[in-house]
Every structure is written in C-alpha cells, then in structure tokens.
Amino acid sequence: MTSIGGAEMVDWNLAVATATRLVRPGPDVSRDEARAVVAELRRHAKASEEHVRGFTRMATEESHDTPVLVVDRPGWVRANVAGFREILKPLLDKMQERRGSTPGGVVLGAVGGKVTGVELGMLLSFLSSRVLGQYETFAPATRDLPAGGAPGGGRLLLVAPNIVHVERELDVEPHDFRLWVCLHEETHRTQFTAVPWLRDHLEGEIQSFLGETEVDPMTVLERVRDAAQSLAGGRPEGEEDEGGRSLVEIVQTPAQREILGRLTAVMSLLEGHADFVMDGVGPQVVPTVAEIREKFQQRRAKGASRLDLALRKLLGLDAKLRQYRDGERFVRAVVDQVGVDGFNRVWTSPNTLPTKAEIAKPADWVARVHRKAES
C-alpha cells in the first residue's frame, strides 16, 4: 500500500509508450530521401542563425551551445514528455500531497497515474503529427535528447516527417518551405539566447501560476479524459463541450487571471515576432515566400476537420492561433512607428514587455516605453 500510495500522478513512461504506439506514420519517403531531408534541415537551421541575427539585430553568442535536433514524431513525444515532467513537477507534487490526505487517495495512486498516462499519450500522439518545429525552453538533457550546456539549456526541434507532409499538402517548393520553417524556429532560439533573463522570467510566471492552483486531482483527470474522448470520438454526436473550456483554463483566482494575462502577452510577442522575422527575412532568401505564406495561412485558419477544430478549442490551440495573429500585428505596428531598434527595447527587462492590452494597442506600448525613456 505504501508503494501504491506513492505512485506518480502521471505515469510518464506509459504516456510515451501510448503515444508512440498510436502515432500516425509519416509520409512515404525512402531512406535516402529521409537522410537528405534531415541533412537539409540541419543546413537550413545553421544558415538561419545569420539571417535572423542580421534582421533582428539581436546579438547572441550562445546559440551554438543550443543543439538542433531533427526528430521524428516519437522523438517529439519523448522530448515533450521530458519538458512537461520538468515544468509540472511542483504542481504534481502539490496534487500528490493533497491526494494522500483525501479518501480514496491510495486507489487514485494505483489507477490515476496509469489512466492519465494513457490519456496524455493519446493527446500527444494527436499533436505529434501537427508540430513542425519547436524551441524547447525548459528542456532537461536526457541520454537521447541533449540540451544546451548553460543552466536551463534548451534545444531546437525540427519534426522532419511533419515538415515533409505539409510541404506536400500545400504543394510548395520543398527547399524554400524547409528554410522558411527554420527561420521561424531560429527566431525563438535567438529570443531566448539573446535575452538572458527571458527564460527565468517565463519560468517564474509559470510556476507562480501553478503555485496558485488549487485543483482537485480528479478535476485534472476529468479534463484530460474529456480531451481524450473527443480524440477517440467518445463524445456523443451533437454534444458540445460545455462552456468551451480548454485544458489550460484551470483559473480560479484573480492572481491567476493576472498571471495568465501576462503569459498570454509574452507568448503573443514571441510567436508574432517569429512570424514577422520569418516573413521579413523571407524575400531575401526564400523566393516563393509569398506563395508559402498565403497557403500556410489558409491551412492554419481552417483546420483539417470538425474534430480538429473541436480539439483545438479543448486544448487551447485556438488561443495559440490568435497569438500568432495578434502578436505579429503588434510587432509590425511597433516597427513601423519606431523601427527595429526601437522595437528591441521590448527585450530590456520584464517591465518593458507588452501587457495583454498593449498587444491589442501597440501605440500604448510605444507611448509607455519610449516616452518614458525620453522624458
């Protein structure tokens, strides 16, 4: 009973095993073609460093210490499980303490971790076929997945089968599309390596949010189960998700709402800046960038199916799409007003980051940061 009661809230190994078993096969490519894609993505990732640094004027000497990993879908799953386990540890430890003091806590320890592991694996298998690339800010180094040597590390992931799938689906020039994707992800790597305080600030906000969370463990299991049932078609036909809540909307206190607002603003800034840079560099090095952007925007907006749209809402992915749009609009408006160097004041300190309201009204950020600095 002691060992059962000490079981983890999430069986992470089972999550990886489940996702790996359920993950969709990638596009049909020969071994030689696969090797060529991997080699080209690595070349583009390297070339993107110079392109992004030149366009953004963000100086960094540390990106060479941040590994670029070209992975398949199971590799993406393993990397993200490692990251989730790291960032969620304080919350899960807190939930486990609470579970131990409630009736039925031992039973939940024996069953809940397995159930959550399976259902998390189902969600990761779904997501693993949709992500093109990712800068893992909170990536712990593992035997198979190295991370940066600095404390907190980081690594850049490029998901080769997904990139090939999308370039074929959009019918765009493959070499241009691969470089275009690398430009976006390299911008994220530059953001965190050129702005030393950014990672710690973001982690502090996330941990503050999680620290405020007072959630019954069964509530979390129910949210994951809702998502998994939607994925498996388990929700009865015509039944809507009541209230349209996403898995990230476990917000119970005014403090959490404030933190979530700040996090939303930061993520909108980071995603919008990456889109802005990707399109700004594009015409110089990606001849077909206009065609790629138009087709990709159409794909991003419409989703693949009703199920895909439902899962976007449940998982909070619709909010991420808004972050791309709103953040890119903010960056473009600020650069138009004060230029690239004026925009780069955003990286001065946490106090110069835009608020959620300022993302919607870029002129307010310019007035606050620039006029204050000039007065």
Side-chain angles (χ1 to χ4, degrees):
M1 282 295 186
T2 301
S3 61
I4 293 175
E8 285 194 88
M9 291 294 299
V10 180
D11 188 329
W12 299 105
N13 291 332
L14 185 56
V16 171
T18 300
T20 302
R21 186 174 68 252
L22 296 177
V23 71
R24 299 177 183 179
D28 186 20
V29 295
S30 69
R31 180 170 296 182
D32 288 342
E33 287 174 317
R35 287 173 176 165
V37 170
V38 170
E40 182 174 17
L41 287 173
R42 287 177 175 154
R43 289 196 303 272
H44 284 332
K46 181 64 178 176
S48 294
E49 290 186 39
E50 183 176 349
H51 296 316
V52 170
R53 290 182 193 182
F55 184 81
T56 64
R57 303 177 193 170
M58 297 174 70
T60 173
E61 299 298 330
E62 299 178 14
S63 63
H64 67 277
D65 197 32
T66 307
V68 176
L69 306 180
V70 182
V71 298
D72 58 9
R73 291 168 179 174
W76 179 88
V77 168
R78 289 192 295 272
N80 276 265
V81 165
F84 289 155
R85 190 171 189 171
E86 182 83 3
I87 199 69
L88 293 177
K89 187 178 186 304
L91 174 62
L92 294 179
D93 286 348
K94 182 178 180 179
M95 290 171 60
Q96 191 157 336
E97 290 178 9
R98 179 169 179 174
R99 180 190 67 192
S101 63
T102 59
V106 171
V107 174
L108 183 59
V111 178
K114 299 293 185 185
V115 171
T116 310
V118 168
E119 294 179 333
L120 178 60
M122 293 175 67
L123 295 178
L124 288 170
S125 72
F126 170 80
L127 294 172
S128 68
S129 63
R130 282 155 171 75
V131 177
L132 301 182
Q134 174 184 2
Y135 181 74
E136 281 202 293
T137 316
F138 308 108
T142 67
R143 183 180 61 184
D144 300 324
L145 296 163
R155 55 183 168 235
L156 185 62
L157 302 181
L158 297 169
V159 191
N162 295 350
I163 293 172
V164 172
H165 171 79
V166 173
E167 70 192 27
R168 290 179 178 179
E169 179 185 320
L170 298 181
D171 190 24
V172 293
E173 210 290 316
H175 306 294
D176 284 3
F177 184 73
R178 294 166 194 174
L179 177 55
W180 189 70
V181 171
C182 288
L183 290 170
H184 181 101
E185 303 309 330
E186 175 57 36
T187 302
H188 286 316
R189 181 164 67 158
T190 297
Q191 289 163 348
F192 283 94
T193 55
V195 185
W197 54 264
L198 184 57
R199 181 199 179 278
D200 289 343
H201 171 73
L202 194 58
E203 182 178 22
E205 292 280 53
I206 292 171
Q207 293 305 334
S208 294
F209 178 85
L210 296 178
E212 289 280 336
T213 302
E214 292 293 346
V215 179
D216 181 83
M218 287 307 299
T219 303
V220 176
L221 294 180
E222 288 168 5
R223 299 287 173 87
V224 175
R225 189 167 294 115
D226 281 346
Q229 286 176 349
S230 294
L231 181 59
R235 187 180 300 282
E237 182 68 25
E239 180 181 328
E240 300 295 332
D241 177 40
E242 292 185 9
R245 297 178 303 175
S246 76
L247 288 176
V248 297
E249 291 175 324
I250 312 175
V251 182
Q252 297 180 323
T253 69
Q256 282 184 306
R257 285 191 287 273
E258 288 183 15
I259 296 168
L260 189 59
R262 295 196 297 268
L263 281 170
T264 299
V266 173
M267 297 312 298
S268 296
L269 170 69
L270 299 180
E271 295 293 358
H273 184 234
D275 266 12
F276 175 78
V277 172
M278 180 169 61
D279 288 344
V281 174
Q284 305 169 37
V285 296
V286 182
T288 59
V289 65
E291 177 191 359
I292 291 172
R293 164 57 80 184
E294 181 180 1
K295 290 183 175 181
F296 192 77
Q297 287 285 62
Q298 292 173 356
R299 180 183 186 272
R300 184 187 269 177
K302 71 182 181 180
S305 65
R306 179 183 174 186
L307 174 60
D308 192 61
L309 293 172
L311 277 165
R312 279 185 182 183
K313 190 172 188 66
L314 190 59
L315 298 173
L317 300 182
D318 54 342
K320 188 171 180 66
L321 296 179
R322 289 194 297 274
Q323 288 171 3
Y324 285 111
R325 182 187 66 236
D326 297 345
E328 197 271 344
R329 188 182 297 128
F330 168 84
V331 176
R332 188 171 299 281
V334 171
V335 171
D336 286 346
Q337 281 191 256
V338 295
V340 171
D341 292 332
F343 166 78
N344 281 342
R345 288 192 187 179
V346 78
W347 312 118
T348 304
S349 75
N351 292 330
T352 56
L353 290 172
T355 64
K356 188 176 179 181
E358 288 170 343
I359 288 288
K361 295 183 177 180
D364 289 354
W365 179 86
V366 173
R368 176 173 68 87
V369 173
H370 282 262
R371 291 176 189 171
K372 182 178 180 181
E374 293 164 3
S375 61

